[in-house]
Amino acid sequence: MQSILTNLSIGLQTAFTFTNILWVFIGGTLGTIIGMLPGLGPATAVAILIPITFGMNPATALITMAAVYYGAMFGGSRAAIMLNIPGDASAIVSCFDGYPMTKKGKAGTALAISAIASFIGGTIGMIFLIFLSQPVASAALKFGPAEMFSLMAFALVATITLSEGNLLKGLFSIVVGLMLSTIGIDPLAGVVRFTYGVSSLNEGIDFLVIIIGVYAVTEVYKNLKSIDRVYEFDSKSIGKVKVSKEEFKQCIVPMLRSTPLGFIIGVLPGMGGTIATFMSYAMEKNLSKHPEEFGKGTIEGLAAPEAANNACSCGAMVPLLTLGIPGSGTTAVMLGALMLLGVRPGPTLFTDHPEIAWGVIASMLIGNIILLIINLPLAIPLVQLLRVPQRIMLPIVMGLGLIGAYFLNYSSFDLILVMVSALVGYIFVILEVPLPPLVLALILGGTTEQSFRNAMVLSDGNPAIFFQKPISAVFIVLAGVSLVYALVKRRRQVAK
Amino acid sequence: MTTNILTGIISIVLGLVYSITALRLPRMAMGDRLGPKIFPYFVGIVTIITGIAMILQDRNPEKRSKKVDFGFKEHKNVWIKIGLLTIAGIVFGLIIDGLGYMIATALFIFSVSMLINKGKLVQNIVIAVLFPVVTYFVFGVALKLSLPRGIIETMLPF
């Protein structure tokens, strides 16, 4: 307890500088704007805004990226409420009651409660994160290569078993990601692998290049079909952006109930904001005294999932910061951004660079407050940006993505890779192959292989080591159980 | 063809090519001898098995996955745009060092907006001029990244 408070105060000292607060403001606003755009979510926001952190010191850069991520979460529901178009999958639920509220002329209330619920979910989620991260990081410090490998294997398997969709296609996505991660010079033996004579591949594929390809450019391709859609709403009918006392009382319990739910789902790999929001909505509908009102513009139906969504994003920071394992596409992109800055999240981040680890945590607390300020008084001017047609936004998104990819290594070859991966990403979308497992596997692939080989060297090539170490065995069993569970569940669904 | 069968075929082909390449990697004379081969070999095998399983999943005609629909006919325009955007992106990479940041980016943004925002010539010219200027000041001046210098950049005082 004592040490947590000491650490938090170190964090607050790092975060509370003028520059850092200014960047939280800028990052939060830019994140909100991109998260707000119809069809583009937090992953895209983080992917195309990475270049703004170049040249910053690691703490400021991390704080800025966290603000972008957070801002995009706040912004995601704007388009859902105003236009009935979710910014990303986790904002789908916000359409259910948010848009009916707008139709009733209560858009202002909807915007206000979504910002307040995001704030409450985010702040309580951060408090959970503060108390959970240190113990998890200390436990993980004791992990050897065998435990690390089993943990990674579990994380990868869990991303496909816990999420919806075809299990085998998820597995396919993982193996493609692993294949991509092995391209280039093998760091342990110095052998060049899988470059097929292309010398530009010797250094390996920078996963940020692939991330920009699939999260910035593929997203642009996906939106090409709906390019001529015109977004219109009546600004005058938004009303005041505030919530009355009665409305707040009506929402407070649902928000507080959904926060722990969202947080736990966020900690688990593979279960991102989409599942958190749907589960929270279903829970509130079941518990409500007037379930028939859900879907017709009831305020709890909007508040609860918004709180769950932001709490979930805090939960996702636990495995990301303490173990270096992202649980979703968006956090994978965040991890990529951090690694680019030379920060390698994982248990040692808390011992070697407590000022960075805790600086991020503290800045997210501050970011929450700043975003509430951005999103309440500035709600009406910000939603005006929704009127900017996609025909103008998409070229800009694509431009930012490409120059960002170029800035990574100043390499023309990287731009070719971006375009190729965007095309492959689009084909994956058509084949209904999920992209997040690929990105996750690509990022974790290197560490997975290295810990696998180190463990094998330790055991003289005997794979039994993964079962002899108790923690490792637990993760392997968990991976197996989740695989079997998913198979049985899907078989039942098919049988129905 | 269903999405499962096509993905399965891709998976098998990819797995075979990858495993064969992995097998042909040089053996290490010392240290962990299977080192650089074992992990890729394992991944390759899993890929092949995944592919076979995906095809087998569709053997029952009643439970088959959706038919593959690339929409080449229905969304012909979208595919043409994607093709041209891909070329524009690659060309951008090839010209940026020679022409300098501003001119190359302006040309790239102009061609992309002409494809996406068809028929709005003035609007597109404005975007194509503003985008490189604003990003140059943000990245090149404010954030001090070194950007490829061409005719315009060498004339600028910063």
Side-chain angles (χ1 to χ4, degrees):
Chain A
M1 183 70 205
Q2 190 74 38
S3 70
I4 287 175
L5 289 179
T6 329
N7 284 325
L8 191 60
S9 74
I10 299 176
L12 283 169
Q13 276 168 15
T14 317
F16 255 117
T17 64
F18 176 74
T19 336
N20 287 354
I21 301 236
L22 180 72
W23 276 111
V24 170
F25 197 83
I26 298 174
T29 313
L30 290 175
T32 310
I33 291 172
I34 296 174
M36 221 169 62
L37 298 173
L40 301 179
T44 311
V46 177
I48 64 173
L49 290 175
I50 285 171
I52 62 169
T53 63
F54 290 175
M56 290 180 181
N57 70 53
T60 310
L62 260 170
I63 287 167
T64 311
M65 279 341 276
V68 169
Y69 172 55
Y70 236 69
M73 305 282 303
F74 266 77
S77 52
R78 313 275 108 167
I81 292 171
M82 299 305 298
L83 307 167
N84 206 18
I85 301 165
D88 72 324
S90 59
I92 293 172
V93 177
S94 309
C95 295
F96 294 176
D97 282 288
Y99 187 63
M101 282 179 80
T102 300
K103 283 209 289 200
K104 280 188 196 165
K106 284 165 74 182
T109 316
L111 291 173
I113 195 69
S114 94
I116 293 170
S118 297
F119 170 74
I120 292 180
T123 306
I124 300 176
M126 284 317 293
I127 296 171
F128 291 156
L129 167 64
I130 289 168
F131 284 97
L132 203 61
S133 49
Q134 190 79 52
V136 174
S138 316
L141 267 181
K142 297 184 190 103
F143 285 10
E147 285 87 353
M148 245 5 235
F149 170 77
S150 309
L151 175 63
M152 302 266 174
F154 165 64
L156 285 176
V157 170
T159 52
I160 55 166
T161 54
L162 295 179
S163 63
E164 298 295 316
N166 186 319
L167 206 63
L168 289 168
K169 283 184 182 161
L171 194 59
F172 171 67
S173 185
I174 286 186
V175 288
V176 174
L178 289 176
M179 284 179 181
L180 291 173
S181 79
T182 56
I183 293 175
I185 295 175
D186 167 33
L188 294 180
V191 187
V192 177
R193 299 187 294 180
F194 306 105
T195 58
Y196 298 98
V198 182
S199 60
S200 306
L201 286 173
N202 282 354
E203 299 282 306
I205 293 181
D206 191 332
F207 50 73
L208 280 166
V209 170
I210 307 288
I211 284 174
I212 291 174
V214 300
Y215 282 112
V217 185
T218 302
E219 289 299 313
V220 170
Y221 292 172
K222 274 159 73 180
N223 283 301
L224 283 178
K225 280 180 202 160
S226 59
I227 209 159
D228 290 319
R229 210 182 282 166
V230 185
Y231 301 114
E232 264 317 319
F233 54 88
D234 184 10
S235 310
K236 284 185 196 121
S237 70
I238 293 178
K240 281 213 165 123
V241 184
K242 64 179 208 190
V243 180
S244 72
K245 255 191 187 159
E246 292 77 54
E247 285 165 328
F248 185 74
K249 269 189 193 155
Q250 204 180 334
C251 294
I252 186 76
V253 178
M255 288 191 286
L256 293 179
R257 270 197 298 244
S258 287
T259 299
L261 174 79
F263 184 82
I264 295 167
I265 292 174
V267 174
L268 298 173
M271 297 181 71
T274 316
I275 296 177
T277 47
F278 273 94
M279 279 180 73
S280 134
Y281 191 79
M283 177 175 86
E284 285 311 318
K285 199 174 172 181
N286 279 333
L287 292 174
S288 172
K289 287 183 193 122
H290 48 89
E292 72 286 351
E293 293 290 310
F294 275 70
K296 293 178 188 159
T298 184
I299 193 163
E300 308 100 281
L302 177 62
E306 288 285 311
N309 192 19
N310 278 48
C312 174
S313 71
C314 295
M317 295 303 277
V318 175
L320 179 71
L321 288 176
T322 60
L323 305 172
I325 293 179
S328 66
T330 313
T331 38
V333 181
M334 269 297 282
L335 179 68
L338 304 188
M339 283 162 75
L340 179 72
L341 302 161
V343 178
R344 182 128 210 152
T348 49
L349 184 67
F350 283 80
T351 48
D352 298 353
H353 300 285
E355 75 289 353
I356 293 180
W358 288 96
V360 176
I361 293 176
S363 75
M364 286 179 86
L365 272 173
I366 301 168
N368 242 326
I369 300 169
I370 293 180
L371 278 158
L372 187 67
I373 298 170
I374 297 174
N375 276 282
L376 283 179
L378 298 179
I380 293 181
L382 275 175
V383 293
Q384 303 306 322
L385 283 169
L386 288 174
R387 289 174 198 277
V388 179
Q390 282 203 309
R391 305 164 65 103
I392 294 179
M393 290 315 299
L394 293 181
I396 295 176
V397 168
M398 192 158 162
L400 286 173
L402 260 77
I403 60 171
Y406 180 75
F407 291 157
L408 292 173
N409 308 306
Y410 296 99
S411 142
S412 309
F413 185 72
D414 279 354
L415 292 187
I416 298 176
L417 278 181
V418 166
M419 300 320 291
V420 172
S421 55
L423 197 59
V424 173
Y426 190 63
I427 293 170
F428 271 34
V429 170
I430 293 173
L431 292 176
E432 297 177 328
V433 176
L435 287 166
L438 183 151
V439 174
L440 247 53
L442 173 60
I443 294 180
L444 297 180
T447 330
T448 311
E449 182 182 3
Q450 278 181 33
S451 37
F452 176 74
R453 278 160 64 183
N454 287 338
M456 290 295 264
V457 169
L458 277 180
S459 71
D460 266 334
N462 183 0
I465 185 171
F466 299 109
F467 296 95
Q468 284 158 354
K469 304 252 175 189
I471 297 176
S472 165
V474 168
F475 285 126
I476 299 266
V477 169
L478 276 176
V481 168
S482 80
L483 208 58
V484 172
Y485 167 76
L487 281 173
V488 172
K489 194 177 99 186
R490 254 149 256 205
R491 193 140 283 194
R492 273 199 201 142
Q493 276 169 354
V494 173
K496 268 180 196 168
Chain B
M1 196 184 300
T2 64
T3 59
N4 265 349
I5 292 178
L6 182 59
T7 318
I9 294 172
I10 297 174
S11 190
I12 294 172
V13 173
L14 212 59
L16 278 174
V17 172
Y18 187 82
S19 313
I20 293 169
T21 319
L23 276 179
R24 290 174 58 188
L25 282 171
R27 220 166 206 280
M28 303 298 288
M30 37 194 299
D32 67 323
R33 279 206 266 151
L34 285 170
K37 293 168 97 162
I38 179 152
F39 187 77
Y41 190 58
F42 177 71
V43 171
I45 300 288
V46 174
T47 313
I48 297 170
I49 297 172
T50 308
I52 296 171
M54 256 189 276
I55 293 173
L56 289 179
Q57 214 175 33
D58 272 10
R59 68 187 184 283
N60 183 342
E62 281 167 23
K63 293 176 194 164
R64 252 177 218 162
S65 58
K66 267 203 307 199
K67 268 201 161 170
V68 184
D69 183 16
F70 283 101
F72 287 128
K73 274 190 194 142
E74 196 189 337
H75 299 291
K76 199 173 147 200
N77 283 334
V78 171
W79 280 105
I80 293 174
K81 275 181 195 162
I82 290 177
L84 292 172
L85 287 171
T86 308
I87 296 170
I90 293 171
V91 171
F92 176 51
L94 299 175
I95 60 172
I96 187 166
D97 285 320
L99 289 180
Y101 180 76
M102 294 253 205
I103 295 177
T105 312
L107 286 175
F108 172 68
I109 294 289
F110 182 71
S111 44
V112 171
S113 359
M114 283 308 276
L115 283 169
I116 297 179
N117 190 20
K118 250 188 189 161
K120 302 270 174 73
L121 187 67
V122 181
Q123 234 175 38
N124 293 341
I125 291 176
V126 173
I127 302 172
V129 172
L130 279 181
F131 183 89
V133 172
V134 173
T135 50
Y136 183 84
F137 276 91
V138 172
F139 294 113
V141 181
L143 295 170
K144 298 195 180 82
L145 294 186
S146 68
L147 303 179
R149 299 179 81 83
I151 313 166
I152 297 185
E153 288 81 2
T154 33
M155 287 194 302
L156 291 173
F158 25 75

